Amino acid sequence: SQQGEEDPQALSIQEGENATMNCSYKTSINNLQWYRQNSGRGLVHLILIRSNEREKHSGRLRVTLDTSKKSSSLLITASRAADTASYFCATESGTYKYIFGTGTRLKVLA
Amino acid sequence: GAVVSQHPSWVICKSGTSVKIECRSLDFQATTMFWYRQFPKQSLMLMATSNEGSKATYEQGVEKDKFLINHASLTLSTLTVTSAHPEDSSFYICSARGPTSAAGELFFGEGSRLTVL
């Protein structure tokens, strides 16, 4: 399977703490994206990092990319209860097809 | 941002019937749309790539006669689940590349939950 792996599969933290989730993939990529999905809903794009970038920030989000290790991480700082959702990484390898990781279910406790 | 609308958001049907799901790009033209399937608490599995004006490209293991895809216009792609069976029950999500994103950011519909009795 080409699908990427994410860990942890589930994460439960207290409001105000930071949440880190990791994504590993198998093939060379053009870019890697992170998406958020609330239960039973569609996905919302969070951030895109290109293969020649190592780190990117957007608000409380910080994404890193290590192409030598074929891995990425998403850090959410100062988490809020509203951040509770599933988070997926998705990779694109030049064919315009997007392969999604297995996802991390984040629960932020108020 | 670009908006993708999916309809219906949920549908219940009897085994053996066919169900059509629509995916529309509301404020942009999408030459390519993607159809995904998602089981509970699992990731999205790409089913097929829908190309306007041509045949869809199906992923390995996806039956093209079972999941008919039509992309007849630049704003509409449809997925028809033919002769649905309970094992086809799932959450189906479409997506399209945004009009201004060179890198290929995807915009997703809200998904359609299919339950086959």
Side-chain angles (χ1 to χ4, degrees):
Chain A
S1 169
Q2 294 294 309
Q3 193 170 43
E5 297 285 330
E6 289 185 58
D7 77 273
Q9 290 187 352
L11 179 61
S12 186
I13 60 174
Q14 294 292 325
E15 209 168 25
E17 293 180 340
N18 296 342
T20 299
M21 48 206 93
N22 304 293
C23 166
S24 61
Y25 54 92
K26 298 178 181 179
T27 63
S28 297
I29 61 171
N30 283 346
N31 66 74
L32 183 145
Q33 307 178 43
W34 285 90
Y35 289 85
R36 168 198 166 117
Q37 183 183 34
N38 284 32
S39 181
R41 305 292 298 274
L43 275 74
V44 175
H45 179 264
L46 295 177
I47 197 165
L48 179 153
I49 186 165
R50 301 175 200 277
S51 59
N52 62 353
E53 297 176 312
R54 292 296 167 259
E55 187 171 313
K56 207 161 182 180
H57 297 255
S58 177
R60 293 184 296 114
L61 305 180
R62 173 177 168 254
V63 168
T64 63
L65 178 63
D66 187 335
T67 52
S68 66
K69 295 181 180 178
K70 291 188 170 58
S71 68
S72 174
S73 68
L74 170 67
L75 168 67
I76 303 174
T77 60
S79 64
R80 305 166 182 167
D83 293 329
T84 295
S86 291
Y87 292 83
F88 295 92
C89 65
T91 55
E92 193 269 325
S93 303
T95 61
Y96 301 121
K97 292 195 306 186
Y98 299 83
I99 305 300
F100 282 80
T102 50
T104 294
R105 293 192 305 279
L106 173 66
K107 188 169 187 178
V108 182
L109 305 171
Chain B
V3 178
V4 175
S5 173
Q6 207 170 322
H7 178 81
S9 55
W10 59 271
V11 56
I12 301 173
C13 70
K14 292 183 178 179
S15 189
T17 60
S18 294
V19 174
K20 180 185 285 188
I21 300 169
E22 294 185 346
C23 179
R24 293 180 186 274
S25 54
L26 295 187
D27 50 1
F28 68 100
Q29 294 182 332
T31 56
T32 302
M33 291 184 175
F34 303 92
W35 286 96
Y36 293 86
R37 180 174 182 176
Q38 184 180 35
F39 291 105
K41 296 186 178 180
Q42 294 190 26
S43 186
L44 284 73
M45 298 301 297
L46 179 64
M47 299 175 65
T49 302
S50 170
N51 303 296
E52 188 269 334
S54 64
K55 291 183 180 180
T57 304
Y58 290 82
E59 293 302 300
Q60 191 172 8
V62 178
E63 299 175 58
K64 61 181 181 180
D65 295 329
K66 173 75 172 175
F67 300 99
L68 299 179
I69 291 173
N70 184 281
H71 195 155
S73 78
L74 287 170
T75 59
L76 174 64
S77 175
T78 61
L79 168 68
T80 300
V81 183
T82 62
S83 186
H85 290 282
E87 59 265 30
D88 298 323
S89 297
S90 191
F91 192 53
Y92 294 88
I93 308 177
C94 71
S95 69
R97 293 184 68 194
T100 58
S101 173
E105 170 187 344
L106 290 179
F107 293 92
F108 284 83
E110 283 293 298
S112 299
R113 185 165 302 284
L114 170 64
T115 302
V116 185
L117 302 177

